[in-house]
Amino acid sequence: MTLTLTVSDGVRTLAPGFTHVAIEAHGLVNGPSTEASSALLDDAARRLAARLDGRAPHEDPHMAAWRETYTAFGSKPSRTRNSAEALARRALSDAGLPRINLLVDLYNAVSVARLIPVGGEDLDRIEGEMRLVRATGEEEFVTVAGGEEVVEHPGPGEVVWCDDRGVTCRRWNWRQGPRTRLTERTTSGVFLLESLAPLPVAEVQDAARELAELLAEFSPGADLDVRAPGSA
């Protein structure tokens, strides 16, 4: 399976400095978090602290750009933070980073260390192609609240990732839906690294290479395809 990823003209107009790098992976091995994946998260928190050098995550120029973009499509960035800033805040707190499962730990470690939003989707649960669009408000986002499945609708103009079935991630990279999350049964996935100017594209590519190396290390024999920046 080769997944098609498209970015709408409306999103490109909103954020002309947007770049994404995708890694499509097959033959993955997932499972519970391990001592090795936990160590990667601890190291990522140390790398983040060195990178920020006493600053808060939102003071980083890349995180500031995401805040400006969230504001531009009507979201409040201090309440609905991009995934990298939210993880960075947890990494610097007493609670530290959560341990989810092996594959999620790997991409969270790269996201925190690099201050780049990174997400992962189960390819076997995606229907059709994935599209980054500005919502009409009629799209469905199926999530869970209070232990019950509920259907939400994004606000008109909100930036969302969706497939042929519905929204997979709201507010760009703020909240992923449970349908396509990476679980311990996942064997095929797509990992998406997203950036805005002023972060150099070369830095996003380097982060993608780091993640690909980790995936190869923890899933020996996996078939990995690191795509060119912005390619479908």
Side-chain angles (χ1 to χ4, degrees), residues 165-232:
R165 186 170 169 182
V167 174
T168 58
C169 195
R170 286 198 60 188
R171 297 192 179 114
W172 211 313
N173 47 44
W174 167 65
R175 178 186 290 170
Q176 183 184 30
R179 171 170 60 92
T180 58
R181 285 177 183 162
L182 301 178
T183 71
E184 293 181 15
R185 298 182 297 277
T186 298
T187 58
S188 295
V190 61
F191 301 85
L192 194 63
L193 297 88
E194 301 180 294
S195 72
L196 295 170
L199 191 77
V201 173
E203 191 166 334
V204 189
Q205 291 176 289
D206 193 44
R209 283 191 291 269
E210 180 180 356
L211 178 54
E213 289 172 359
L214 289 172
L215 292 171
E217 177 184 348
F218 284 83
S219 293
D223 181 13
L224 304 172
D225 177 23
V226 182
R227 302 186 187 179
S231 64

Side-chain angles (χ1 to χ4, degrees), residues 44-45 47-48 51 60 62-63 84 88 107-118 193-194 199 202-211 213:
R47 291 167 63 186
L48 171 69
R51 183 188 191 100
D60 176 84
H62 189 211
M63 296 298 94
Y107 77 69
N108 277 351
V110 172
S111 178
V112 167
R114 303 278 190 157
L115 268 184
I116 295 173
V118 184
L193 297 88
E194 301 180 294
L199 191 77
E203 191 166 334
V204 189
Q205 291 176 289
D206 193 44
R209 283 191 291 269
E210 180 180 356
L211 178 54
E213 289 172 359

Side-chain angles (χ1 to χ4, degrees), residues 20-131:
H20 68 276
V21 177
I23 303 170
E24 185 168 334
H26 300 273
L28 294 168
V29 177
N30 201 9
S33 300
T34 65
E35 289 186 7
S37 70
S38 183
L40 284 172
L41 290 169
D42 290 339
D43 182 61
R46 288 190 289 268
R47 291 167 63 186
L48 171 69
R51 183 188 191 100
L52 290 174
D53 192 23
R55 295 174 298 162
H58 70 267
E59 295 177 288
D60 176 84
H62 189 211
M63 296 298 94
W66 277 106
R67 282 190 166 222
E68 290 174 6
T69 301
Y70 268 48
T71 300
F73 66 77
S75 188
K76 295 181 178 180
S78 60
R79 291 181 57 192
T80 55
R81 297 177 176 88
N82 77 80
S83 63
E85 183 183 335
L87 275 176
R89 286 170 58 90
R90 291 198 66 172
L92 297 173
S93 72
D94 291 339
L97 288 166
R99 275 59 172 165
I100 308 297
N101 60 53
L102 183 59
L103 291 176
V104 175
D105 289 352
L106 298 185
Y107 77 69
N108 277 351
V110 172
S111 178
V112 167
R114 303 278 190 157
L115 268 184
I116 295 173
V118 184
E121 308 278 354
D122 189 320
L123 275 173
D124 293 327
R125 296 176 177 271
I126 294 171
E127 298 187 12
E129 67 177 32
M130 288 188 65
R131 303 175 295 279

